[in-house]
Amino acid sequence: MKSEPLLRFRIASEDWELEAIHRLNYKTFVEEIPQHARNPEQRLVDKFHAENTYAICLHGEQLAGMVAGRAKRPFSLDQKVANLDQYLPAGRRVLEVRLLSVEKDFRNGFVFSKLVGLLAQHFRDRGYDLAIISGTVLQLKLYKHLGFIPFGPVVGSGEAQFQPMYLTLETFIQMSKVLSPPSAEVNRILASYLPGPEDVHDEVRKAFEKGPVSHRSAAFNTDFRSTKRLLCELVQAKEVEILLGSGSLANDAVGGQISLLQQPGLVLSNGEFGDRLLDHATRLSLPFDAVQMRWGEPFDYGAIRKRIERSGDVSWIWAAHCETSTGILNDLEALRTICAAKQIKLCLDCISSIGTMPVDLQGVYLASCVSGKALASFPGLSMVFYHHEIAPAPKQLPRYLDLGYYAAESGVPFTHSSNLLYALQIALSRTCWTDKFRQIAEVSAWLRGRLRELGLQIVAPDAHAAPAVVSIALPPEISSRSIGLLLKKAGYLLSYNSSYLLKRNWIQI
């Protein structure tokens, strides 16, 4: 995603932050609102500075906004409004909110509300339940929107006129969703390291946003064939069918083809997505045995070979090429060699490998992939690659899972999405795959080394590591959910919230 400074909200504590507060104080309350006289230092230290608590907004290293809170009487409003307490709800612990200032580029109401919310939360935690403020008459509508209640006469004169107002704790709670919106809105995202959705390129987005084209038109079918050709060239496959659905649909379609063999096989699992293949096979009532390793443990290919030799009737193997949950890259060449020696049909879930590294599907019977991950397009399309002739199976498979039916209908037996198709076509054609694969491998090697220097435990051993997925096992005293949320607030999106990651206290890049 595009890098840009992050908006951070915090209670000021650093010397440079306090100095920036004095500069913004001068800029606002001397140059913009003429309350104080100019001075050559262009800094204004508030008379209550030593007693103030400042909530600030930082845009990178720039102070974008600030607001101060103070609970010591007398307040500045005590000097401006006679018998101040008569206007306030009784029995409250009161603080005064002052010096609200936001740079012009950030005056959209968002920074304003976040600053007030942060300061209110800070004092709420210390037992205060009523805030009073002198709000500029120019922003009365915004103050009222946030729940402030005007009281007493307007104070000040000329261009510096202010309306006294208060905000109750009850109102703050009611407005908490406004004052503390979701993190994706609070912070600007510096980078996403999620497996999807992709931050698609502008060219891909523009292709998606064009008006839809009939899936029966000649133009669509020409572009459909072109997109299939780009996909096949990427992985050295003879044929591919593009399905309107997720990777689970593609894997069900693979399972449907396996069911037509009516022969026993092996499903291999060493993580969440291998376990999901076991679930696919079970739901389709496939005859199979399971080879299950501990999560993060590579397969013992010698043991698999011996098991096949002992069994004597294994006709297919189904496995995940990249086990996304652990970051293990299962050995395609070893599996291909085992299968070739015994004329076993190899089926692979390649959803997290195609597009992140060179993948050669020669000798692979069926392989699944999706549009919305490493192919860098929008989610919604999945695909199954193959090399052999596939015939329709109308008496054995549901229409939507029958790859032979797709093949017989030139790949478009049902309504298709031209928007998703054209976006995928642009994503495929604009990518220099050699450069992308090299960059991912280089960054992965650097990242894994750096994480180990920091003392972090990587789940996948280097000899079996996928280049695009790094799973990190945190020590039990550190919560993966807490770390994930902290990183999210800092602008970095990592995987941590999937149930299988939370269960193991893992985070994932």
Side-chain angles (χ1 to χ4, degrees):
M1 301 181 76
K2 295 179 180 178
S3 295
E4 58 180 320
L6 170 70
L7 283 181
R8 294 176 291 145
F9 296 85
R10 52 178 290 173
I11 300 298
S13 59
E14 303 291 334
D15 288 342
W16 70 268
E17 295 170 342
L18 299 176
E19 181 58 31
I21 286 169
H22 302 328
R23 299 290 179 184
L24 183 56
N25 202 18
Y26 181 92
K27 187 175 181 180
T28 302
F29 300 107
V30 174
E31 295 180 341
E32 184 174 350
I33 302 174
Q35 287 183 267
H36 302 275
R38 292 177 179 268
N39 65 63
E41 293 82 17
Q42 295 189 327
R43 64 196 296 272
L44 177 63
V45 180
D46 182 66
K47 61 183 178 180
F48 299 121
H49 174 67
E51 300 170 0
N52 288 341
T53 296
Y54 295 94
I56 59 173
C57 171
L58 297 173
H59 181 240
E61 299 303 312
Q62 173 196 359
L63 181 63
M66 67 177 188
V67 65
R70 175 174 168 267
K72 186 177 179 180
R73 302 289 289 261
F75 298 138
S76 62
L77 266 176
D78 281 315
Q79 303 167 15
K80 300 173 184 177
V81 178
N83 196 11
L84 175 64
D85 290 321
Q86 71 173 322
Y87 297 100
L88 306 178
R92 301 279 182 162
R93 292 194 68 196
V94 185
L95 69 132
E96 185 174 46
V97 176
R98 304 173 56 250
L99 307 182
L100 179 59
S101 175
V102 179
E103 290 280 14
K104 291 182 179 179
D105 288 345
F106 300 91
R107 291 179 185 174
N108 56 6
F110 172 69
V111 171
F112 174 106
S113 63
K114 277 299 296 177
L115 287 170
V116 173
L118 174 60
L119 193 71
Q121 184 66 57
H122 176 84
F123 279 95
R124 173 197 176 192
D125 292 342
R126 286 152 181 80
Y128 294 89
D129 57 5
L130 189 76
I132 60 173
I133 191 169
S134 298
T136 172
V137 295
L138 302 176
Q139 293 289 345
L140 282 182
K141 184 177 180 180
L142 179 56
Y143 283 106
K144 290 179 180 179
H145 173 71
L146 293 174
F148 284 91
I149 298 174
F151 67 86
V154 172
V155 298
S157 61
E159 297 179 52
Q161 295 188 58
F162 300 90
Q163 172 66 59
M165 291 176 280
Y166 67 78
L167 176 70
T168 66
L169 174 60
E170 292 85 351
T171 303
F172 168 68
I173 293 174
Q174 292 170 7
M175 295 299 296
S176 61
K177 291 184 180 181
V178 176
L179 298 174
S180 301
S183 296
E185 297 174 17
V186 172
N187 297 326
R188 301 187 182 188
I189 301 304
L190 291 174
S192 172
Y193 298 106
L194 298 173
E198 279 282 332
D199 180 43
V200 300
H201 192 273
D202 285 345
E203 292 180 33
V204 177
R205 189 179 305 278
K206 289 177 182 177
F208 177 80
E209 291 172 351
K210 290 181 178 179
V213 174
S214 169
H215 64 289
R216 298 303 180 199
S217 69
F220 176 84
N221 279 274
T222 297
D223 290 319
F224 192 80
R225 290 192 298 272
S226 174
T227 305
K228 291 177 70 172
R229 184 170 62 253
L230 289 170
L231 286 165
C232 289
E233 289 172 353
L234 177 61
V235 296
Q236 305 302 306
K238 182 179 179 182
E239 300 288 348
V240 64
E241 301 303 336
I242 302 174
L243 317 178
L244 191 58
S246 69
S248 295
L249 171 63
N251 282 331
D252 269 342
V254 169
Q257 290 299 303
I258 294 174
S259 72
L260 299 178
L261 300 174
Q262 298 183 337
Q263 294 176 325
L266 285 179
V267 180
L268 313 182
S269 176
N270 54 358
E272 170 70 16
F273 292 89
D275 286 355
R276 293 189 190 184
L277 294 182
L278 290 170
D279 183 65
H280 282 283
T282 299
R283 289 171 181 270
L284 289 163
S285 300
L286 303 182
F288 73 94
D289 287 331
V291 175
Q292 291 181 273
M293 311 293 287
R294 291 193 301 270
W295 282 36
E297 185 177 347
F299 290 118
D300 183 336
Y301 297 98
I304 291 173
R305 186 181 293 106
K306 290 179 181 177
R307 181 164 179 170
I308 292 170
E309 289 172 352
R310 286 197 305 269
S311 171
D313 63 350
V314 174
S315 66
W316 54 269
I317 290 177
W318 199 4
H321 182 203
C322 172
E323 178 46 71
T324 317
S325 62
T326 62
I328 287 279
L329 183 68
N330 293 318
D331 192 336
L332 170 55
E333 197 54 47
L335 290 172
R336 185 160 30 209
T337 300
I338 290 171
C339 291
K342 298 293 184 179
Q343 294 186 321
I344 294 170
K345 294 176 172 61
L346 176 59
C347 304
L348 294 175
D349 176 338
C350 293
I351 288 171
S352 291
S353 58
I354 293 175
T356 66
M357 58 176 289
V359 175
D360 184 347
L361 293 181
Q362 293 183 80
V364 175
Y365 187 65
L366 298 160
S368 57
C369 183
V370 295
S371 59
K373 295 194 181 218
L375 296 186
S377 187
F378 291 94
L381 297 180
S382 59
M383 51 232 44
V384 178
F385 295 94
Y386 59 98
H387 299 269
H388 55 288
E389 296 294 325
I390 296 182
K395 295 183 179 181
Q396 296 160 286
L397 293 175
R399 289 166 63 88
Y400 209 57
L401 299 183
D402 188 353
L403 288 183
Y405 187 42
Y406 284 81
E409 296 293 324
S410 301
V412 193
F414 317 111
T415 299
H416 227 294
S417 169
S418 62
N419 303 78
L420 290 172
L421 188 282
Y422 288 129
L424 175 60
Q425 183 182 58
I426 293 298
L428 292 167
S429 60
R430 69 169 302 278
T431 302
C432 177
W433 297 106
T434 303
D435 289 348
K436 180 177 180 178
F437 297 155
R438 183 183 68 250
Q439 183 185 38
I440 289 174
E442 290 173 353
V443 171
S444 177
W446 170 85
L447 176 62
R448 294 171 66 83
R450 187 73 183 102
L451 291 172
R452 287 210 170 91
E453 287 176 10
L454 295 170
L456 293 170
Q457 179 186 346
I458 299 174
V459 175
D462 285 348
H464 301 274
V469 183
V470 180
S471 294
I472 303 164
L474 297 176
E477 64 271 17
I478 299 176
S479 162
S480 60
R481 186 191 299 273
S482 297
I483 291 296
L485 287 170
L486 285 171
L487 289 167
K488 184 177 180 181
K489 289 180 179 179
Y492 298 93
L493 303 181
L494 277 71
S495 289
Y496 69 92
N497 211 24
S498 297
S499 59
Y500 61 87
L501 295 175
L502 290 171
K503 180 179 179 181
R504 289 165 177 80
N505 205 38
W506 291 359
I507 58 174
Q508 188 179 75
I509 302 170

